[in-house]
Amino acid sequence: MSQNNTDQKNRKESANASGRGIRGVNLGNWLVLERWMEPEIFRGTDAEDETWLNRDLPKAELEKRLKKHRETFITEKDFEEIHKLGLNTVRIPVPYFIFGDFPPYSGCIEYLDLAFDWAERWDLRILIDLHTTPGNHNGYDNGGLVGVCRFHKEPRAVAYVLHVLERLARRYGKRRGLFGIEVLNEPISLPVYLFAPTTGKARDRKEAKGSGYVPLRFLRKFYKEAYRRLRVYLPEDKAIVFHDGFRLPLWGRFFERAGMKHVYLDTHQYIWAMEMFLPFHRLWLYWFYVMLEQRMIRRAERHVPVIVGEWSNCNRYAAFQRNRRYHDQGTNIWSERVGDLKKKLDEKLPEDIKVLNSIREYSQEAARVVAEERRKLQREIRKSCMAEQRRRFRKVANMQLHAWEHAAGWFYWSWKLEPESGRHTVEFWKESWDYHRSVRNGWLPKKITK
């Protein structure tokens, strides 16, 4: 074996050894806002993203809402609970304006400082994830500006983002709680861009002019430059993470050949996204999809450790089809019970039914018994529905947890959605995106064990 191949093998083994055991959650919607995760902060505006929220809302009102949100949405208590659930790492999405030097946006670096204090206190590590860019790099709301994807075409924006990454590395590079820095979240590929629901949906079409997918050639060049700059401030025991750009099979030996040390490739896997293209909500299809992605992860890991940086247990098999058979079963049971009730009530019917008072008493008794039986049946059916739903969610969750164990680690999206995790979300379909609520509902394990 050549010396070069030996070095590559050693780098890979070292990276894999240090990365095994990453079990984490994303702290989404804390420092980077996504309307669907908490609509309240967008109240009174038509904004679908953080850029337009800044444009639509008066500055004083916006600052008031942001301050309240950032101080209450995630607190030290969340870090404590994450630790107690057996997780060891948090991935924190941050905006490009985190340092507060990109008007009109308000910086939030002080909250990331707090996160490091809390993480170190509760024996957690942090992966800083640069989630947004000027001009956006995927056209999604999570990139900061819906329908616009021009970042890769604007040299000044690219230079600014590289500078932000350097500043983050300089500030946190020696912190004990730092796991690493992720260079860019979800730069979009051509197939994903063509079918993305936000493509062509920019609120200001002039602003979106020239938008397009992020070419792999640009991404490789950008990743090399980002690595070079970050490694100046990051010791080799700190990771540098690169998103696959929705092109997991195409990276091959890129990182090895570039001589990069202690790096990871991040891939995002959502059954929910698969269902948008294959609307067949069956467990066997989920299994096939997850096994296919697991296979691709294993192939990629021949050259670079892979983490599943985002996954969720949201699926229609459990969330939206759970009531069909139970509704039919409940209808049949109710028909049978009504018949039984009628028979029992007839036995109580006074002999002289012509007496008005007796008829009134009979009617009242019948109404009371029927109402009570209906409530009892509803409780039974609801209990059955919840048990079946819990069983289905656990099946899908266990399937994914088993598959992602073959990667270097994983991060669930997300820790919480609406602030009060002690109650159900306003829209039930969101419930399974919330790790904290999913554990409470019995859809995810109460504690992750290594």
PDB file of all heavy atoms in Angstrom, residues 16 112 167 194 247 259 265 272 378 392 434 443:
ATOM      1  N   ASN A  16     -13.724   8.341  11.665  1.00  0.00           N
ATOM      2  CA  ASN A  16     -14.819   7.463  12.050  1.00  0.00           C
ATOM      3  C   ASN A  16     -14.825   7.190  13.538  1.00  0.00           C
ATOM      4  O   ASN A  16     -15.863   7.203  14.180  1.00  0.00           O
ATOM      5  CB  ASN A  16     -14.728   6.133  11.286  1.00  0.00           C
ATOM      6  CG  ASN A  16     -15.431   6.176   9.941  1.00  0.00           C
ATOM      7  OD1 ASN A  16     -16.627   6.052   9.881  1.00  0.00           O
ATOM      8  ND2 ASN A  16     -14.674   6.380   8.873  1.00  0.00           N
ATOM      9  N   LEU A 112     -25.753  32.345  20.909  1.00  0.00           N
ATOM     10  CA  LEU A 112     -24.858  31.224  20.637  1.00  0.00           C
ATOM     11  C   LEU A 112     -23.805  31.111  21.741  1.00  0.00           C
ATOM     12  O   LEU A 112     -23.423  30.000  22.127  1.00  0.00           O
ATOM     13  CB  LEU A 112     -24.197  31.395  19.264  1.00  0.00           C
ATOM     14  CG  LEU A 112     -23.445  30.175  18.724  1.00  0.00           C
ATOM     15  CD1 LEU A 112     -24.347  28.943  18.660  1.00  0.00           C
ATOM     16  CD2 LEU A 112     -22.854  30.475  17.341  1.00  0.00           C
ATOM     17  N   ARG A 167     -14.910  33.957  11.317  1.00  0.00           N
ATOM     18  CA  ARG A 167     -15.179  34.591  12.617  1.00  0.00           C
ATOM     19  C   ARG A 167     -15.765  33.602  13.618  1.00  0.00           C
ATOM     20  O   ARG A 167     -15.428  33.628  14.810  1.00  0.00           O
ATOM     21  CB  ARG A 167     -16.116  35.783  12.429  1.00  0.00           C
ATOM     22  CG  ARG A 167     -15.493  36.917  11.634  1.00  0.00           C
ATOM     23  CD  ARG A 167     -16.496  38.029  11.365  1.00  0.00           C
ATOM     24  NE  ARG A 167     -16.860  38.760  12.597  1.00  0.00           N
ATOM     25  CZ  ARG A 167     -17.761  39.738  12.627  1.00  0.00           C
ATOM     26  NH1 ARG A 167     -18.395  40.084  11.514  1.00  0.00           N
ATOM     27  NH2 ARG A 167     -18.030  40.359  13.762  1.00  0.00           N
ATOM     28  N   LEU A 194     -35.644  21.855  -9.536  1.00  0.00           N
ATOM     29  CA  LEU A 194     -36.717  21.808 -10.532  1.00  0.00           C
ATOM     30  C   LEU A 194     -38.065  21.446  -9.906  1.00  0.00           C
ATOM     31  O   LEU A 194     -39.113  21.922 -10.353  1.00  0.00           O
ATOM     32  CB  LEU A 194     -36.367  20.802 -11.633  1.00  0.00           C
ATOM     33  CG  LEU A 194     -35.217  21.196 -12.570  1.00  0.00           C
ATOM     34  CD1 LEU A 194     -34.911  20.061 -13.536  1.00  0.00           C
ATOM     35  CD2 LEU A 194     -35.550  22.472 -13.333  1.00  0.00           C
ATOM     36  N   ARG A 247     -26.612  15.378  -3.293  1.00  0.00           N
ATOM     37  CA  ARG A 247     -25.856  14.604  -4.286  1.00  0.00           C
ATOM     38  C   ARG A 247     -24.913  13.640  -3.573  1.00  0.00           C
ATOM     39  O   ARG A 247     -23.705  13.614  -3.839  1.00  0.00           O
ATOM     40  CB  ARG A 247     -25.066  15.571  -5.194  1.00  0.00           C
ATOM     41  CG  ARG A 247     -25.935  16.348  -6.167  1.00  0.00           C
ATOM     42  CD  ARG A 247     -25.281  17.599  -6.704  1.00  0.00           C
ATOM     43  NE  ARG A 247     -25.502  18.741  -5.816  1.00  0.00           N
ATOM     44  CZ  ARG A 247     -25.447  20.011  -6.198  1.00  0.00           C
ATOM     45  NH1 ARG A 247     -25.193  20.307  -7.462  1.00  0.00           N
ATOM     46  NH2 ARG A 247     -25.652  20.990  -5.337  1.00  0.00           N
ATOM     47  N   GLY A 259      -7.039  16.371   0.645  1.00  0.00           N
ATOM     48  CA  GLY A 259      -6.199  16.339   1.843  1.00  0.00           C
ATOM     49  C   GLY A 259      -6.888  16.857   3.093  1.00  0.00           C
ATOM     50  O   GLY A 259      -6.225  17.315   4.036  1.00  0.00           O
ATOM     51  N   LEU A 265     -19.428  14.293   5.852  1.00  0.00           N
ATOM     52  CA  LEU A 265     -20.409  14.621   4.827  1.00  0.00           C
ATOM     53  C   LEU A 265     -21.786  14.499   5.465  1.00  0.00           C
ATOM     54  O   LEU A 265     -22.113  13.481   6.082  1.00  0.00           O
ATOM     55  CB  LEU A 265     -20.278  13.666   3.642  1.00  0.00           C
ATOM     56  CG  LEU A 265     -21.109  13.983   2.393  1.00  0.00           C
ATOM     57  CD1 LEU A 265     -20.742  15.349   1.830  1.00  0.00           C
ATOM     58  CD2 LEU A 265     -20.901  12.899   1.327  1.00  0.00           C
ATOM     59  N   TRP A 272     -40.995  11.902   4.811  1.00  0.00           N
ATOM     60  CA  TRP A 272     -42.014  12.882   4.413  1.00  0.00           C
ATOM     61  C   TRP A 272     -41.736  13.427   3.009  1.00  0.00           C
ATOM     62  O   TRP A 272     -42.662  13.591   2.198  1.00  0.00           O
ATOM     63  CB  TRP A 272     -42.027  14.011   5.436  1.00  0.00           C
ATOM     64  CG  TRP A 272     -42.728  15.242   4.989  1.00  0.00           C
ATOM     65  CD1 TRP A 272     -44.058  15.491   5.016  1.00  0.00           C
ATOM     66  CD2 TRP A 272     -42.120  16.417   4.435  1.00  0.00           C
ATOM     67  NE1 TRP A 272     -44.322  16.750   4.521  1.00  0.00           N
ATOM     68  CE2 TRP A 272     -43.148  17.339   4.149  1.00  0.00           C
ATOM     69  CE3 TRP A 272     -40.806  16.782   4.155  1.00  0.00           C
ATOM     70  CZ2 TRP A 272     -42.896  18.587   3.607  1.00  0.00           C
ATOM     71  CZ3 TRP A 272     -40.552  18.027   3.602  1.00  0.00           C
ATOM     72  CH2 TRP A 272     -41.593  18.916   3.331  1.00  0.00           C
ATOM     73  N   GLN A 378     -66.535   6.387  22.525  1.00  0.00           N
ATOM     74  CA  GLN A 378     -65.575   7.345  21.984  1.00  0.00           C
ATOM     75  C   GLN A 378     -64.237   7.248  22.709  1.00  0.00           C
ATOM     76  O   GLN A 378     -63.173   7.334  22.095  1.00  0.00           O
ATOM     77  CB  GLN A 378     -66.143   8.764  22.089  1.00  0.00           C
ATOM     78  CG  GLN A 378     -67.245   9.050  21.077  1.00  0.00           C
ATOM     79  CD  GLN A 378     -67.898  10.402  21.302  1.00  0.00           C
ATOM     80  OE1 GLN A 378     -67.811  10.972  22.400  1.00  0.00           O
ATOM     81  NE2 GLN A 378     -68.571  10.918  20.282  1.00  0.00           N
ATOM     82  N   ARG A 392     -47.459   2.451  15.189  1.00  0.00           N
ATOM     83  CA  ARG A 392     -46.970   2.771  13.849  1.00  0.00           C
ATOM     84  C   ARG A 392     -45.789   3.736  13.888  1.00  0.00           C
ATOM     85  O   ARG A 392     -44.790   3.545  13.176  1.00  0.00           O
ATOM     86  CB  ARG A 392     -48.110   3.369  13.014  1.00  0.00           C
ATOM     87  CG  ARG A 392     -49.192   2.377  12.671  1.00  0.00           C
ATOM     88  CD  ARG A 392     -50.194   2.961  11.689  1.00  0.00           C
ATOM     89  NE  ARG A 392     -51.191   1.985  11.295  1.00  0.00           N
ATOM     90  CZ  ARG A 392     -51.947   2.098  10.206  1.00  0.00           C
ATOM     91  NH1 ARG A 392     -51.827   3.149   9.420  1.00  0.00           N
ATOM     92  NH2 ARG A 392     -52.829   1.162   9.908  1.00  0.00           N
ATOM     93  N   ASP A 434     -41.486  17.240  16.256  1.00  0.00           N
ATOM     94  CA  ASP A 434     -41.037  17.740  17.551  1.00  0.00           C
ATOM     95  C   ASP A 434     -40.509  16.570  18.387  1.00  0.00           C
ATOM     96  O   ASP A 434     -41.266  15.705  18.825  1.00  0.00           O
ATOM     97  CB  ASP A 434     -42.239  18.405  18.250  1.00  0.00           C
ATOM     98  CG  ASP A 434     -41.872  19.112  19.535  1.00  0.00           C
ATOM     99  OD1 ASP A 434     -41.227  18.487  20.385  1.00  0.00           O
ATOM    100  OD2 ASP A 434     -42.255  20.284  19.701  1.00  0.00           O
ATOM    101  N   TRP A 443     -43.727   7.923  20.786  1.00  0.00           N
ATOM    102  CA  TRP A 443     -43.387   7.640  19.397  1.00  0.00           C
ATOM    103  C   TRP A 443     -41.894   7.441  19.195  1.00  0.00           C
ATOM    104  O   TRP A 443     -41.473   6.863  18.193  1.00  0.00           O
ATOM    105  CB  TRP A 443     -43.857   8.779  18.491  1.00  0.00           C
ATOM    106  CG  TRP A 443     -45.322   9.067  18.574  1.00  0.00           C
ATOM    107  CD1 TRP A 443     -46.296   8.266  19.101  1.00  0.00           C
ATOM    108  CD2 TRP A 443     -45.993  10.251  18.115  1.00  0.00           C
ATOM    109  NE1 TRP A 443     -47.526   8.862  19.002  1.00  0.00           N
ATOM    110  CE2 TRP A 443     -47.368  10.091  18.392  1.00  0.00           C
ATOM    111  CE3 TRP A 443     -45.564  11.409  17.487  1.00  0.00           C
ATOM    112  CZ2 TRP A 443     -48.313  11.058  18.073  1.00  0.00           C
ATOM    113  CZ3 TRP A 443     -46.501  12.383  17.160  1.00  0.00           C
ATOM    114  CH2 TRP A 443     -47.859  12.204  17.452  1.00  0.00           C
TER     115      TRP A 443
END
